Every structure is written in C-alpha cells, then in structure tokens.
Amino acid sequence: TARPFPPCMRSKFEELQRKAHLTFTDRFQLNLFLKGIGLTVSETLNFWRQGVFPKGKMKAYQGEHTYNVRHNYGLEGGMIDYTPHNCEKMQQEHKDGAGRCACPFATDIETFRSNTFGQSWYQSVSIDARDKIESAVHAKNPSAACEHVFEDAHGGFSIGPKFEFPDAYYDASMEIEAMCRERADYAQFDRHFSVPENVTTADSARANVAADTHLLPTNFNLALEDLSSDDE
C-alpha cells in the first residue's frame, strides 16, 4: 500500500515507475529514506533490481547502483553512515534548474498545483483536505500541508505536533496501523464472547455495528515515544 509513504517519496516512486530512472539526488534521498525505515542494504538493492532493471541492463545495475547503495549505507568509499535527509533539507534542496523542490509543498501555490495535478497521491486526497493543504502551501508552511495529507490518509489520526523526517511519517503510519489492527482484534474477541444469551441475532448485529463505528477515533494525537502495550 502507498499510504505509509510521504508525498515527497511517493513522487519519486511514481517517477521511477514511469521512467525507470531518477536523478542522482533523488536516488540518494530515496536510498536514505529506505535505509531510515529499516530496509537492509540487500533489501534496498533488491528494490532497485525489481523496480528498475527488468527494463534496463543488469551491467548498469552491477556497475553503478550496487556501489551507490552500498556507499549510502556506509559500506563503500569513506564509510560514512549517512542519515535520511530531514524535512527542512528536503524543503530547501532543489532538484533541477526549474526550481522543483524535493518537498512538493515548499513552493508557491501555482507551481504546487501544476506539479501535483497528475500525482496519484494528490488524487487520493479528499476535497476538504485539499483546501487545507493549499492554504498551508499559500501560507508557506509545508510541514502543515504534509500533516494534512497524513491526517486525511489515516482517518483523522494526527502525526503529532511536529515531525522532522520523511521516515517519521512512515513510522507513525505503521504505528497507527498496528494499533488499529490490535483494537480490531480486541473488538472481535469482545463481540464473540460478550453477547448475552438472551440477545437476539438482530440485536447482536446492531451491537457489532456500534462497536465498529467507535473502533477508530478521529483526531487522535499519537505520541510515538509514549506508546506502549499498557496504553490500551
């Protein structure tokens, strides 16, 4: 699913699917993001092999991308253990002479609309959320715009008061998914064992619908560092 990936990385994924190629800067940022969300160097190499080189030449994969990926992981060259670029850097770093930024929200409103019109991640955003996103872009607040995308994709769940890295977007999404799955399991268990014998089938069905309706609260602020199994 594409939901856990922030728009800046989804844009790179989509461009890679279309062209089977990314600029050096885009590849660097994408590799560090994959590293940041926990992929091993072997998994990242397999990502490039599966996603790109069925359409290209294996010699190019072996000669160029293997070294670059291993270098990004600190296993070649100067052995530097690079960390993912933070949102501030993504908002400042341009990809090309046209001034397109790695962060799709760090631009003026007209450029934002032009660049995102054909992006699938933007097509999946609700109309109400688009208004909030464009207001944040117009106010020069790219982080707030990204937060609105997150909330819209996660049923009102908030990423928190502030996040600084694209991989934090992914981590928060996965935490919410795990929590929702756990709650769904609890609800299913309760429905199975807690229905009194004198309750009719129709009453039981209505109880199940009510339980499902309140299963996923909205506007829930998730503090990742404070989350534990005891919080349930």
Side-chain angles (χ1 to χ4, degrees):
T1 177
R3 182 171 57 188
F5 298 97
C8 58
M9 293 301 153
R10 286 187 62 178
S11 296
K12 298 183 193 303
F13 288 143
E14 291 180 20
E15 185 172 352
L16 185 59
Q17 288 178 327
R18 291 194 308 269
K19 301 179 180 179
H21 175 75
L22 288 177
T23 66
F24 175 83
T25 299
D26 281 348
R27 293 200 307 268
F28 185 51
Q29 292 172 342
L30 181 56
N31 284 337
L32 295 185
F33 171 77
L34 297 175
K35 178 183 177 182
I37 66 174
L39 267 66
T40 65
V41 64
S42 296
E43 290 169 335
T44 298
L45 287 170
N46 191 53
F47 163 81
W48 284 100
R49 184 185 299 114
Q50 296 282 344
V52 179
F53 288 95
K55 304 176 183 178
K57 297 180 180 179
M58 184 55 68
K59 182 177 180 181
Y61 166 79
Q62 295 289 354
E64 180 180 357
H65 287 272
T66 299
Y67 177 85
N68 285 340
V69 171
R70 288 178 55 82
H71 183 271
N72 298 159
Y73 274 73
L75 301 175
E76 297 284 358
M79 305 294 184
I80 301 172
D81 186 19
Y82 295 100
T83 58
H85 290 177
N86 60 24
C87 294
E88 182 179 2
K89 186 174 181 63
M90 298 285 283
Q91 291 164 10
Q92 296 174 350
E93 189 164 312
H94 292 156
K95 296 196 300 183
D96 55 29
R100 293 186 302 162
C101 211
C103 173
F105 309 111
T107 185
D108 59 84
I109 189 64
E110 289 79 13
T111 303
F112 170 76
R113 289 170 177 168
S114 175
N115 290 343
T116 58
F117 180 78
Q119 296 285 333
S120 65
W121 68 263
Y122 192 66
Q123 298 301 319
S124 65
V125 173
S126 69
I127 299 299
D128 290 342
R130 290 186 188 184
D131 290 339
K132 295 178 182 178
I133 292 166
E134 290 199 1
S135 294
V137 171
H138 185 73
K140 305 297 183 182
N141 192 343
S143 295
C146 196
E147 289 171 11
H148 291 315
V149 174
F150 185 95
E151 291 173 2
D152 187 64
H154 295 83
F157 281 78
S158 173
I159 195 173
K162 182 175 176 146
F163 67 99
E164 299 180 352
F165 290 84
D167 51 307
Y169 186 111
Y170 177 92
D171 291 341
S173 177
M174 298 305 290
E175 290 279 1
I176 289 172
E177 180 174 341
M179 182 178 64
C180 290
R181 288 180 182 274
E182 185 178 10
R183 290 186 176 187
D185 290 340
Y186 279 132
Q188 183 177 8
F189 179 86
D190 289 342
R191 289 197 298 268
H192 183 72
F193 289 102
S194 301
V195 178
E197 293 182 0
N198 62 344
V199 175
T200 66
T201 302
D203 290 336
S204 177
R206 283 193 293 269
N208 289 346
V209 171
D212 287 338
T213 301
H214 296 86
L215 185 59
L216 304 179
T218 59
N219 299 321
F220 182 87
N221 290 319
L222 180 65
L224 297 181
E225 65 275 12
D226 297 330
L227 185 63
S228 72
S229 58
D230 294 335
D231 290 336
E232 182 61 39

